[in-house]
Each structure stands twice: as structure tokens, then as C-alpha cells.
Amino acid sequence: MAERSGTCIDCGGPFLARGGKRKRCNTCADEHDRVRQLARKKAQREARAAARVAAAQEVRS
């Protein structure tokens, strides 16, 4: 099977798109994954904080 080359959607650089589904080079993919993980953790923190506020309001009423 021939290796397919692709163009990164973030930096525009060429990379080997080994399954045909990849859209980013390794460097940009790592950065993208890190940003997504930070966003997920932030959303989880905010959800827990909202749950604590709701529980505190329930106790007061």
C-alpha cells in the first residue's frame, strides 16, 4: 500500500497521512489534543462548581 501524503489543516505543512483520516501533522495534532483536554477539564470543573452551588441553594431552602 502506498503512503498517502496530506496537508495539515492547521499549519499547511505536508505529512504522511497513514490512514487517510488524519488532517493534522503530528505537532499540530499533539497541540490540538492538549487544547481539547484542557477544555474538557475546564468544563468538568465548571460543572462540579455549578452542582455545588445548586446543592448549597437546595440546603438553604
Side-chain angles (χ1 to χ4, degrees):
M1 183 172 103
E3 294 288 335
R4 295 177 48 183
S5 65
T7 302
C8 178
I9 63 173
D10 289 338
C11 69
F15 70 98
L16 292 178
R18 287 184 293 260
K21 291 188 174 187
R22 295 182 58 207
K23 297 177 182 174
R24 292 179 173 87
C25 63
N26 289 339
T27 304
C28 292
D30 291 345
E31 178 66 19
H32 182 71
D33 291 343
R34 188 180 67 80
V35 169
R36 287 181 60 211
Q37 183 180 26
L38 290 173
R40 185 175 63 242
K41 286 181 179 180
K42 181 179 178 186
Q44 288 172 342
R45 262 194 320 270
E46 290 173 352
R48 284 193 297 266
R52 279 195 301 272
V53 168
Q57 288 177 348
E58 182 68 28
V59 169
R60 289 184 197 146
S61 58

Short mmCIF file of all heavy atoms in Angstrom, two decimals:
data_model
loop_
_atom_site.label_atom_id
_atom_site.label_comp_id
_atom_site.label_asym_id
_atom_site.label_seq_id
_atom_site.Cartn_x
_atom_site.Cartn_y
_atom_site.Cartn_z
N MET A 1 0.85 -1.18 0.00
CA MET A 1 0.00 0.00 0.00
C MET A 1 0.89 1.24 0.00
O MET A 1 1.83 1.35 0.77
CB MET A 1 -0.89 0.00 1.24
CG MET A 1 -1.84 1.16 1.29
SD MET A 1 -3.01 0.98 2.63
CE MET A 1 -2.31 2.11 3.79
N ALA A 2 0.60 2.18 -0.84
CA ALA A 2 1.39 3.40 -0.94
C ALA A 2 1.02 4.36 0.18
O ALA A 2 -0.15 4.45 0.58
CB ALA A 2 1.14 4.05 -2.29
N GLU A 3 2.04 5.03 0.70
CA GLU A 3 1.80 6.03 1.73
C GLU A 3 1.15 7.25 1.09
O GLU A 3 1.56 7.70 0.03
CB GLU A 3 3.13 6.44 2.39
CG GLU A 3 3.78 5.33 3.16
CD GLU A 3 3.04 5.02 4.45
OE1 GLU A 3 2.35 5.89 5.00
OE2 GLU A 3 3.16 3.87 4.90
N ARG A 4 0.14 7.78 1.74
CA ARG A 4 -0.53 8.95 1.21
C ARG A 4 -0.04 10.18 1.93
O ARG A 4 0.04 10.20 3.16
CB ARG A 4 -2.04 8.81 1.41
CG ARG A 4 -2.62 7.66 0.61
CD ARG A 4 -4.07 7.48 0.86
NE ARG A 4 -4.78 8.75 0.79
CZ ARG A 4 -6.06 8.89 1.01
NH1 ARG A 4 -6.78 7.86 1.34
NH2 ARG A 4 -6.65 10.06 0.93
N SER A 5 0.28 11.21 1.21
CA SER A 5 0.71 12.43 1.85
C SER A 5 -0.49 13.36 1.97
O SER A 5 -1.42 13.32 1.17
CB SER A 5 1.83 13.10 1.07
OG SER A 5 1.36 13.53 -0.19
N GLY A 6 -0.46 14.19 3.00
CA GLY A 6 -1.55 15.12 3.21
C GLY A 6 -0.99 16.48 3.56
O GLY A 6 0.21 16.67 3.73
N THR A 7 -1.89 17.44 3.66
CA THR A 7 -1.52 18.79 4.06
C THR A 7 -2.24 19.10 5.36
O THR A 7 -3.46 18.94 5.46
CB THR A 7 -1.96 19.80 2.97
OG1 THR A 7 -1.34 19.42 1.74
CG2 THR A 7 -1.52 21.20 3.32
N CYS A 8 -1.49 19.54 6.35
CA CYS A 8 -2.04 19.84 7.67
C CYS A 8 -3.04 20.99 7.57
O CYS A 8 -2.77 22.00 6.91
CB CYS A 8 -0.90 20.21 8.62
SG CYS A 8 -1.46 20.67 10.27
N ILE A 9 -4.21 20.84 8.20
CA ILE A 9 -5.23 21.89 8.15
C ILE A 9 -4.89 23.06 9.07
O ILE A 9 -5.50 24.11 8.95
CB ILE A 9 -6.64 21.34 8.49
CG1 ILE A 9 -6.68 20.81 9.92
CG2 ILE A 9 -7.06 20.29 7.48
CD1 ILE A 9 -8.07 20.40 10.38
N ASP A 10 -3.93 22.88 9.97
CA ASP A 10 -3.54 23.97 10.86
C ASP A 10 -2.36 24.77 10.33
O ASP A 10 -2.43 25.98 10.19
CB ASP A 10 -3.21 23.43 12.26
CG ASP A 10 -4.45 22.96 13.00
OD1 ASP A 10 -5.55 23.40 12.66
OD2 ASP A 10 -4.31 22.14 13.91
N CYS A 11 -1.26 24.09 10.03
CA CYS A 11 -0.04 24.80 9.62
C CYS A 11 0.19 24.77 8.12
O CYS A 11 1.01 25.53 7.61
CB CYS A 11 1.17 24.24 10.36
SG CYS A 11 1.63 22.57 9.85
N GLY A 12 -0.51 23.92 7.40
CA GLY A 12 -0.34 23.84 5.96
C GLY A 12 0.85 23.00 5.51
O GLY A 12 1.13 22.90 4.33
N GLY A 13 1.56 22.42 6.47
CA GLY A 13 2.73 21.62 6.14
C GLY A 13 2.36 20.23 5.67
O GLY A 13 1.30 19.70 6.00
N PRO A 14 3.24 19.60 4.89
CA PRO A 14 2.98 18.24 4.41
C PRO A 14 3.28 17.22 5.51
O PRO A 14 4.11 17.44 6.38
CB PRO A 14 3.97 18.09 3.26
CG PRO A 14 5.08 19.00 3.61
CD PRO A 14 4.48 20.16 4.34
N PHE A 15 2.58 16.11 5.48
CA PHE A 15 2.82 15.00 6.41
C PHE A 15 2.30 13.72 5.79
O PHE A 15 1.54 13.76 4.82
CB PHE A 15 2.15 15.26 7.77
CG PHE A 15 0.64 15.19 7.73
CD1 PHE A 15 -0.02 14.04 8.12
CD2 PHE A 15 -0.10 16.27 7.30
CE1 PHE A 15 -1.40 13.98 8.08
CE2 PHE A 15 -1.48 16.21 7.26
CZ PHE A 15 -2.13 15.07 7.65
N LEU A 16 2.73 12.59 6.34
CA LEU A 16 2.26 11.30 5.84
C LEU A 16 0.92 10.98 6.50
O LEU A 16 0.84 10.79 7.70
CB LEU A 16 3.28 10.20 6.15
CG LEU A 16 4.59 10.30 5.39
CD1 LEU A 16 5.51 9.17 5.82
CD2 LEU A 16 4.36 10.27 3.90
N ALA A 17 -0.12 10.91 5.72
CA ALA A 17 -1.47 10.62 6.22
C ALA A 17 -1.67 9.13 6.15
O ALA A 17 -2.22 8.60 5.19
CB ALA A 17 -2.50 11.35 5.38
N ARG A 18 -1.20 8.44 7.19
CA ARG A 18 -1.18 6.99 7.13
C ARG A 18 -2.55 6.36 7.19
O ARG A 18 -2.73 5.35 7.27
CB ARG A 18 -0.33 6.44 8.26
CG ARG A 18 1.13 6.67 8.03
CD ARG A 18 1.92 6.02 9.12
NE ARG A 18 1.68 6.70 10.37
CZ ARG A 18 2.47 7.58 10.92
NH1 ARG A 18 3.58 7.90 10.32
NH2 ARG A 18 2.17 8.15 12.05
N GLY A 19 -3.60 6.79 7.38
CA GLY A 19 -4.84 6.05 7.33
C GLY A 19 -5.81 6.76 6.45
O GLY A 19 -6.89 6.30 6.19
N GLY A 20 -5.41 7.89 5.98
CA GLY A 20 -6.30 8.66 5.14
C GLY A 20 -7.24 9.55 5.93
O GLY A 20 -7.84 10.44 5.36
N LYS A 21 -7.36 9.34 7.25
CA LYS A 21 -8.30 10.12 8.04
C LYS A 21 -7.63 11.29 8.76
O LYS A 21 -8.31 12.19 9.23
CB LYS A 21 -8.99 9.24 9.08
CG LYS A 21 -9.94 8.25 8.47
CD LYS A 21 -10.73 7.55 9.54
CE LYS A 21 -11.79 6.67 8.92
NZ LYS A 21 -12.69 6.10 9.89
N ARG A 22 -6.31 11.24 8.85
CA ARG A 22 -5.61 12.29 9.58
C ARG A 22 -5.67 13.61 8.82
O ARG A 22 -5.55 13.64 7.61
CB ARG A 22 -4.15 11.89 9.80
CG ARG A 22 -4.05 10.67 10.70
CD ARG A 22 -2.63 10.28 10.97
NE ARG A 22 -1.92 11.40 11.60
CZ ARG A 22 -0.63 11.60 11.49
NH1 ARG A 22 0.10 10.78 10.80
NH2 ARG A 22 -0.07 12.62 12.09
N LYS A 23 -5.84 14.70 9.56
CA LYS A 23 -5.92 16.02 8.94
C LYS A 23 -4.83 16.94 9.44
O LYS A 23 -4.67 18.04 8.92
CB LYS A 23 -7.28 16.65 9.25
CG LYS A 23 -8.44 15.89 8.69
CD LYS A 23 -9.73 16.53 9.09
CE LYS A 23 -10.90 15.71 8.54
NZ LYS A 23 -12.18 16.21 9.01
N ARG A 24 -4.09 16.52 10.48
CA ARG A 24 -3.07 17.36 11.07
C ARG A 24 -1.74 16.62 11.14
O ARG A 24 -1.72 15.41 11.32
CB ARG A 24 -3.47 17.77 12.49
CG ARG A 24 -4.66 18.69 12.54
CD ARG A 24 -5.02 19.04 13.98
NE ARG A 24 -6.04 20.06 14.02
CZ ARG A 24 -7.34 19.80 13.97
NH1 ARG A 24 -7.76 18.56 13.92
NH2 ARG A 24 -8.21 20.78 13.98
N CYS A 25 -0.64 17.38 11.06
CA CYS A 25 0.67 16.78 11.26
C CYS A 25 0.81 16.43 12.75
O CYS A 25 -0.02 16.84 13.57
CB CYS A 25 1.77 17.76 10.83
SG CYS A 25 1.84 19.28 11.79
N ASN A 26 1.83 15.66 13.11
CA ASN A 26 1.98 15.21 14.49
C ASN A 26 2.07 16.37 15.47
O ASN A 26 1.47 16.33 16.54
CB ASN A 26 3.22 14.32 14.63
CG ASN A 26 3.01 12.98 13.97
OD1 ASN A 26 1.88 12.55 13.76
ND2 ASN A 26 4.08 12.31 13.63
N THR A 27 2.82 17.41 15.12
CA THR A 27 2.99 18.55 16.03
C THR A 27 1.66 19.24 16.28
O THR A 27 1.29 19.52 17.43
CB THR A 27 3.99 19.56 15.42
OG1 THR A 27 5.20 18.87 15.15
CG2 THR A 27 4.24 20.70 16.35
N CYS A 28 0.92 19.53 15.23
CA CYS A 28 -0.37 20.21 15.38
C CYS A 28 -1.40 19.30 16.05
O CYS A 28 -2.25 19.76 16.82
CB CYS A 28 -0.88 20.69 14.03
SG CYS A 28 0.11 22.02 13.32
N ALA A 29 -1.35 18.00 15.78
CA ALA A 29 -2.28 17.06 16.40
C ALA A 29 -2.05 16.99 17.91
O ALA A 29 -3.02 16.98 18.68
CB ALA A 29 -2.14 15.67 15.78
N ASP A 30 -0.78 16.99 18.33
CA ASP A 30 -0.48 16.98 19.76
C ASP A 30 -1.01 18.24 20.43
O ASP A 30 -1.61 18.19 21.51
CB ASP A 30 1.02 16.86 20.00
CG ASP A 30 1.56 15.50 19.61
OD1 ASP A 30 0.75 14.56 19.44
OD2 ASP A 30 2.79 15.37 19.47
N GLU A 31 -0.79 19.38 19.81
CA GLU A 31 -1.27 20.66 20.37
C GLU A 31 -2.79 20.68 20.43
O GLU A 31 -3.38 21.11 21.41
CB GLU A 31 -0.75 21.82 19.52
CG GLU A 31 -1.22 23.17 19.98
CD GLU A 31 -0.68 23.60 21.33
OE1 GLU A 31 0.33 23.02 21.78
OE2 GLU A 31 -1.27 24.51 21.93
N HIS A 32 -3.44 20.20 19.37
CA HIS A 32 -4.90 20.17 19.31
C HIS A 32 -5.46 19.27 20.42
O HIS A 32 -6.42 19.64 21.10
CB HIS A 32 -5.34 19.67 17.95
CG HIS A 32 -6.81 19.62 17.74
ND1 HIS A 32 -7.59 20.74 17.61
CD2 HIS A 32 -7.66 18.57 17.65
CE1 HIS A 32 -8.85 20.39 17.45
NE2 HIS A 32 -8.92 19.08 17.48
N ASP A 33 -4.85 18.11 20.63
CA ASP A 33 -5.29 17.20 21.68
C ASP A 33 -5.12 17.82 23.06
O ASP A 33 -5.98 17.68 23.93
CB ASP A 33 -4.53 15.88 21.61
CG ASP A 33 -4.89 15.07 20.38
OD1 ASP A 33 -5.94 15.36 19.75
OD2 ASP A 33 -4.11 14.16 20.03
N ARG A 34 -4.00 18.54 23.26
CA ARG A 34 -3.75 19.18 24.55
C ARG A 34 -4.80 20.25 24.84
O ARG A 34 -5.34 20.34 25.94
CB ARG A 34 -2.35 19.80 24.56
CG ARG A 34 -1.92 20.32 25.92
CD ARG A 34 -0.54 20.93 25.86
NE ARG A 34 -0.51 22.14 25.07
CZ ARG A 34 -0.90 23.34 25.51
NH1 ARG A 34 -1.35 23.47 26.74
NH2 ARG A 34 -0.84 24.39 24.73
N VAL A 35 -5.13 21.04 23.84
CA VAL A 35 -6.14 22.10 24.00
C VAL A 35 -7.50 21.49 24.30
O VAL A 35 -8.24 21.98 25.16
CB VAL A 35 -6.18 23.00 22.74
CG1 VAL A 35 -7.38 23.91 22.76
CG2 VAL A 35 -4.89 23.80 22.64
N ARG A 36 -7.84 20.41 23.59
CA ARG A 36 -9.14 19.75 23.85
C ARG A 36 -9.21 19.19 25.26
O ARG A 36 -10.25 19.27 25.92
CB ARG A 36 -9.37 18.63 22.83
CG ARG A 36 -9.70 19.14 21.45
CD ARG A 36 -9.96 18.02 20.47
NE ARG A 36 -11.07 17.22 20.92
CZ ARG A 36 -11.18 15.91 20.68
NH1 ARG A 36 -10.27 15.30 19.98
NH2 ARG A 36 -12.22 15.24 21.11
N GLN A 37 -8.09 18.61 25.74
CA GLN A 37 -8.06 18.05 27.08
C GLN A 37 -8.24 19.16 28.12
O GLN A 37 -8.98 19.00 29.09
CB GLN A 37 -6.75 17.32 27.31
CG GLN A 37 -6.66 16.65 28.66
CD GLN A 37 -5.33 15.93 28.86
OE1 GLN A 37 -4.34 16.29 28.25
NE2 GLN A 37 -5.34 14.93 29.70
N LEU A 38 -7.58 20.29 27.93
CA LEU A 38 -7.72 21.41 28.86
C LEU A 38 -9.16 21.94 28.86
O LEU A 38 -9.71 22.26 29.92
CB LEU A 38 -6.75 22.54 28.50
CG LEU A 38 -5.28 22.25 28.74
CD1 LEU A 38 -4.42 23.37 28.18
CD2 LEU A 38 -5.01 22.05 30.22
N ALA A 39 -9.77 22.03 27.70
CA ALA A 39 -11.16 22.49 27.62
C ALA A 39 -12.10 21.52 28.32
O ALA A 39 -13.05 21.94 29.00
CB ALA A 39 -11.56 22.66 26.15
N ARG A 40 -11.84 20.22 28.15
CA ARG A 40 -12.69 19.21 28.82
C ARG A 40 -12.56 19.32 30.33
O ARG A 40 -13.56 19.29 31.06
CB ARG A 40 -12.31 17.81 28.33
CG ARG A 40 -13.21 16.72 28.88
CD ARG A 40 -12.88 15.36 28.29
NE ARG A 40 -11.54 14.94 28.64
CZ ARG A 40 -10.56 14.71 27.76
NH1 ARG A 40 -10.78 14.88 26.48
NH2 ARG A 40 -9.37 14.33 28.17
N LYS A 41 -11.33 19.49 30.83
CA LYS A 41 -11.13 19.62 32.27
C LYS A 41 -11.80 20.88 32.81
O LYS A 41 -12.39 20.86 33.89
CB LYS A 41 -9.64 19.64 32.59
CG LYS A 41 -8.99 18.29 32.46
CD LYS A 41 -7.52 18.36 32.81
CE LYS A 41 -6.87 17.00 32.71
NZ LYS A 41 -5.45 17.05 33.05
N LYS A 42 -11.73 21.96 32.06
CA LYS A 42 -12.36 23.21 32.49
C LYS A 42 -13.87 23.04 32.57
O LYS A 42 -14.51 23.49 33.53
CB LYS A 42 -12.01 24.34 31.52
CG LYS A 42 -12.61 25.66 31.90
CD LYS A 42 -12.23 26.75 30.92
CE LYS A 42 -12.89 28.06 31.30
NZ LYS A 42 -12.65 29.09 30.30
N ALA A 43 -14.46 22.38 31.58
CA ALA A 43 -15.90 22.15 31.58
C ALA A 43 -16.31 21.28 32.75
O ALA A 43 -17.35 21.52 33.39
CB ALA A 43 -16.32 21.51 30.26
N GLN A 44 -15.50 20.26 33.08
CA GLN A 44 -15.81 19.40 34.22
C GLN A 44 -15.74 20.18 35.52
O GLN A 44 -16.59 20.02 36.40
CB GLN A 44 -14.85 18.22 34.27
CG GLN A 44 -15.09 17.20 33.18
CD GLN A 44 -14.01 16.14 33.14
OE1 GLN A 44 -12.92 16.31 33.68
NE2 GLN A 44 -14.29 15.04 32.46
N ARG A 45 -14.72 21.06 35.66
CA ARG A 45 -14.60 21.89 36.86
C ARG A 45 -15.81 22.80 37.02
O ARG A 45 -16.37 22.94 38.11
CB ARG A 45 -13.34 22.76 36.77
CG ARG A 45 -12.16 22.22 37.50
CD ARG A 45 -11.07 23.27 37.67
NE ARG A 45 -10.84 24.14 36.53
CZ ARG A 45 -10.01 23.91 35.53
NH1 ARG A 45 -9.30 22.80 35.50
NH2 ARG A 45 -9.86 24.78 34.56
N GLU A 46 -16.21 23.43 35.92
CA GLU A 46 -17.36 24.33 35.96
C GLU A 46 -18.65 23.58 36.29
O GLU A 46 -19.49 24.09 37.03
CB GLU A 46 -17.49 25.07 34.64
CG GLU A 46 -16.39 26.09 34.43
CD GLU A 46 -16.41 26.70 33.04
OE1 GLU A 46 -17.19 26.23 32.17
OE2 GLU A 46 -15.63 27.64 32.83
N ALA A 47 -18.81 22.37 35.78
CA ALA A 47 -20.00 21.57 36.07
C ALA A 47 -20.04 21.19 37.54
O ALA A 47 -21.10 21.24 38.18
CB ALA A 47 -20.03 20.33 35.19
N ARG A 48 -18.89 20.81 38.10
CA ARG A 48 -18.85 20.48 39.53
C ARG A 48 -19.16 21.70 40.39
O ARG A 48 -19.88 21.60 41.39
CB ARG A 48 -17.49 19.90 39.91
CG ARG A 48 -17.31 18.46 39.47
CD ARG A 48 -16.09 17.82 40.12
NE ARG A 48 -14.85 18.47 39.73
CZ ARG A 48 -14.07 18.09 38.74
NH1 ARG A 48 -14.41 17.05 38.00
NH2 ARG A 48 -12.96 18.73 38.45
N ALA A 49 -18.64 22.86 39.99
CA ALA A 49 -18.90 24.08 40.74
C ALA A 49 -20.39 24.43 40.69
O ALA A 49 -20.98 24.82 41.70
CB ALA A 49 -18.08 25.24 40.19
N ALA A 50 -21.00 24.28 39.54
CA ALA A 50 -22.44 24.55 39.41
C ALA A 50 -23.25 23.58 40.26
O ALA A 50 -24.25 23.96 40.87
CB ALA A 50 -22.86 24.47 37.95
N ALA A 51 -22.82 22.33 40.30
CA ALA A 51 -23.53 21.34 41.12
C ALA A 51 -23.41 21.69 42.60
O ALA A 51 -24.38 21.53 43.37
CB ALA A 51 -22.98 19.94 40.86
N ARG A 52 -22.22 22.15 43.01
CA ARG A 52 -22.06 22.57 44.42
C ARG A 52 -22.96 23.74 44.76
O ARG A 52 -23.57 23.78 45.82
CB ARG A 52 -20.60 22.94 44.69
CG ARG A 52 -19.71 21.76 44.94
CD ARG A 52 -18.40 22.19 45.55
NE ARG A 52 -17.66 23.14 44.72
CZ ARG A 52 -16.80 22.82 43.76
NH1 ARG A 52 -16.55 21.56 43.51
NH2 ARG A 52 -16.18 23.75 43.08
N VAL A 53 -23.07 24.72 43.86
CA VAL A 53 -23.92 25.88 44.10
C VAL A 53 -25.37 25.44 44.18
O VAL A 53 -26.11 25.88 45.07
CB VAL A 53 -23.73 26.92 42.97
CG1 VAL A 53 -24.80 28.00 43.03
CG2 VAL A 53 -22.33 27.54 43.07
N ALA A 54 -25.79 24.55 43.29
CA ALA A 54 -27.18 24.07 43.31
C ALA A 54 -27.48 23.31 44.59
O ALA A 54 -28.54 23.46 45.19
CB ALA A 54 -27.45 23.19 42.09
N ALA A 55 -26.52 22.51 45.05
CA ALA A 55 -26.72 21.75 46.29
C ALA A 55 -26.78 22.70 47.48
O ALA A 55 -27.59 22.50 48.39
CB ALA A 55 -25.59 20.75 46.47
N ALA A 56 -25.97 23.73 47.48
CA ALA A 56 -25.99 24.70 48.58
C ALA A 56 -27.29 25.46 48.62
O ALA A 56 -27.84 25.72 49.68
CB ALA A 56 -24.81 25.67 48.45
N GLN A 57 -27.83 25.81 47.48
CA GLN A 57 -29.11 26.51 47.43
C GLN A 57 -30.24 25.59 47.88
O GLN A 57 -31.19 26.04 48.52
CB GLN A 57 -29.39 27.02 46.00
CG GLN A 57 -28.52 28.19 45.63
CD GLN A 57 -28.75 28.64 44.21
OE1 GLN A 57 -29.40 27.94 43.42
NE2 GLN A 57 -28.17 29.78 43.85
N GLU A 58 -30.15 24.32 47.56
CA GLU A 58 -31.16 23.36 47.98
C GLU A 58 -31.17 23.22 49.50
O GLU A 58 -32.23 23.11 50.12
CB GLU A 58 -30.89 22.00 47.32
CG GLU A 58 -31.90 20.93 47.66
CD GLU A 58 -33.27 21.23 47.05
OE1 GLU A 58 -33.34 21.90 46.03
OE2 GLU A 58 -34.26 20.77 47.65
N VAL A 59 -30.01 23.23 50.10
CA VAL A 59 -29.91 23.10 51.57
C VAL A 59 -30.51 24.33 52.24
O VAL A 59 -31.18 24.21 53.26
CB VAL A 59 -28.43 22.91 51.99
CG1 VAL A 59 -28.26 23.03 53.49
CG2 VAL A 59 -27.93 21.56 51.49
N ARG A 60 -30.28 25.50 51.66
CA ARG A 60 -30.79 26.75 52.26
C ARG A 60 -32.30 26.86 52.19
O ARG A 60 -32.90 27.46 53.07
CB ARG A 60 -30.19 27.95 51.54
CG ARG A 60 -28.74 28.13 51.85
CD ARG A 60 -28.22 29.39 51.20
NE ARG A 60 -26.76 29.35 51.16
CZ ARG A 60 -26.04 29.85 50.20
NH1 ARG A 60 -26.62 30.45 49.19
NH2 ARG A 60 -24.74 29.77 50.24
N SER A 61 -32.91 26.30 51.18
CA SER A 61 -34.37 26.46 51.03
C SER A 61 -35.16 25.44 51.80
O SER A 61 -34.75 24.65 52.53
CB SER A 61 -34.75 26.41 49.56
OG SER A 61 -34.33 25.19 48.98
#
